[in-house]
Amino acid sequence: MDLINFRVGQKTISLKILDILLTERFENNLTSLPNDNKSFIGVKDYMDTPTPIFDLGIILNNQSTDSINQSLITLLSSWESKAKQWFKALEKSIYDNTSFTMNTDIEQCDFAKWCEQFKTDNDDLNAILKRFNTPQTRIYEQAKHIISLQKKGMQSQAINEINSERNTHFMQLIRLFESAREQIILDYKPIIIFTTKDGSSPHIGLLVDKVEDNISYKKEDIKPLTKITETGFDIDPQTKSMMRGLIKLADKHSLLIDPSAIFRPAHLQHQKEEETEAYGLF
């Protein structure tokens, strides 16, 4: 059986090709309807059929990828603001010939620590974050040097050097913050997967981050999730009902899902046929 892999946050999910009718770019033009399901984000009129659209990020990660991205953008803006405050305080201490009481040790810099620990599958964002190290280290080293000049009574030279740092390495740092935020926005190009149960008409739409690749699987490639669910592992009922197993990829696993289990009429909620033999896994 052939599958297509999709990215949802830091997870990879797989759908059978036969379950997919079409994919299209998400334009944020859905019609809202009252609903208690937080993953339901609206209706799209597709092939003259009002089709419910669900956000897989909310189903699998408890929050949409867009929400995660916005939080990251806000965090980067906060780090940038702190960097500006730090440099402004350094400038003021040099111009006023007063003591600088903030940290000048790059090893103790909270943002540097955060960059080192932060994990993302966005390779371009990773590359940008690594570039922060050079200008930030340089600024901290120069801060110590400039403060030393000030203490030696060489205030004029200290002022010249702090101005030079502002126009070079500090501005480079600020541009990197801008680039990181832009990369987060540019990398997020969500799509809607229109799924089908009969091969011709839409069933539901699933919002995902991007298409990854195609794979083929055999029965033995599917690792059942029975052991996890039997131990009382806390999985949301909607998520649990659609999971069909794990597929081993090169360096990670993909979660095989059955989209027909996400949205069912009430009288089919307890039907098990689609969850076993009828789904073609056994």
Side-chain angles (χ1 to χ4, degrees):
M1 183 67 68
D2 292 325
L3 304 173
I4 298 182
N5 291 335
F6 299 91
R7 171 65 59 176
V8 182
Q10 295 193 15
K11 293 183 175 65
T12 299
I13 62 106
S14 299
L15 274 74
K16 294 195 304 184
I17 287 181
L18 294 177
D19 285 339
I20 301 171
L21 192 61
L22 191 70
T23 63
E24 71 171 35
R25 179 78 177 270
F26 176 59
E27 301 294 348
N28 200 20
N29 57 351
L30 306 181
T31 300
S32 299
L33 292 177
N35 195 281
D36 291 333
N37 189 328
K38 66 177 183 178
S39 66
F40 172 74
I41 56 176
V43 170
K44 174 86 172 181
D45 190 8
Y46 181 72
M47 296 176 63
D48 295 324
T49 303
T51 307
I53 309 298
F54 294 85
D55 189 330
L56 262 185
I58 294 176
I59 294 175
L60 298 176
N61 305 318
N62 292 318
Q63 57 181 325
S64 68
T65 299
D66 182 58
S67 175
I68 293 172
N69 286 345
Q70 291 303 320
S71 295
L72 182 54
I73 288 172
T74 299
L75 180 59
L76 285 168
S77 296
S78 175
W79 286 124
E80 180 184 12
S81 177
K82 290 177 181 178
K84 288 179 177 179
Q85 292 171 7
W86 182 90
F87 197 86
K88 184 177 181 179
L90 177 62
E91 280 185 316
K92 180 173 174 50
S93 72
I94 299 303
Y95 275 90
D96 294 348
N97 200 20
T98 57
S99 296
F100 182 65
T101 58
M102 300 178 76
N103 173 55
T104 56
D105 182 0
I106 189 65
E107 297 295 329
Q108 300 302 317
C109 173
D110 290 337
F111 176 66
K113 293 178 183 177
W114 178 84
C115 280
E116 188 173 340
Q117 297 172 359
F118 180 72
K119 305 294 182 184
T120 178
D121 292 322
N122 186 333
D123 292 336
D124 292 326
L125 179 58
N126 268 326
I128 292 172
L129 292 178
K130 288 179 181 178
R131 289 168 54 196
F132 273 92
N133 182 63
T134 298
Q136 191 166 24
T137 300
R138 161 75 183 193
I139 290 169
Y140 272 71
E141 290 175 349
Q142 280 299 97
K144 294 177 183 178
H145 172 62
I146 293 169
I147 291 170
S148 176
L149 291 175
Q150 179 197 43
K151 290 180 178 179
K152 294 176 182 178
M154 304 169 68
Q155 187 182 16
S156 179
Q157 185 176 345
I159 290 174
N160 288 336
E161 297 209 16
I162 193 70
N163 288 337
S164 176
E165 283 303 301
R166 166 171 282 283
N167 295 327
T168 54
H169 299 98
F170 181 70
M171 290 308 300
Q172 182 182 352
L173 196 71
I174 298 305
R175 286 194 293 269
L176 284 172
F177 277 113
E178 294 171 355
S179 297
R181 289 193 295 266
E182 289 175 359
Q183 178 54 44
I184 294 169
I185 295 171
L186 290 173
D187 185 67
Y188 183 55
K189 298 176 181 178
I191 64 172
I192 296 176
I193 310 167
F194 287 97
T195 68
T196 181
K197 297 175 73 174
D198 58 15
S200 59
S201 59
H203 171 54
I204 62 169
L206 300 174
L207 184 68
V208 300
D209 299 353
K210 63 177 69 173
V211 181
E212 291 210 319
D213 52 17
N214 297 355
I215 61 172
S216 294
Y217 79 90
K218 300 176 182 177
K219 172 185 174 181
E220 53 267 28
D221 296 328
I222 309 297
K223 304 301 180 185
L225 299 170
T226 310
K227 294 298 181 182
I228 295 178
T229 56
E230 283 182 351
T231 58
F233 189 71
D234 187 19
I235 300 178
D236 176 81
Q238 183 182 30
T239 306
K240 181 178 178 180
S241 70
M242 71 186 214
M243 297 189 309
R244 295 295 171 264
L246 292 177
I247 303 171
K248 182 70 171 69
L249 303 178
D251 57 352
K252 58 187 176 183
H253 283 84
S254 176
L255 179 65
L256 179 63
I257 67 171
D258 173 10
S260 69
I262 298 176
F263 182 69
R264 288 193 189 174
H267 68 286
L268 294 179
Q269 288 297 319
H270 301 292
Q271 183 180 359
K272 296 183 180 296
E273 290 182 359
E274 292 184 70
E275 301 176 6
T276 55
E277 289 81 3
Y279 198 65
L281 298 183
F282 303 96

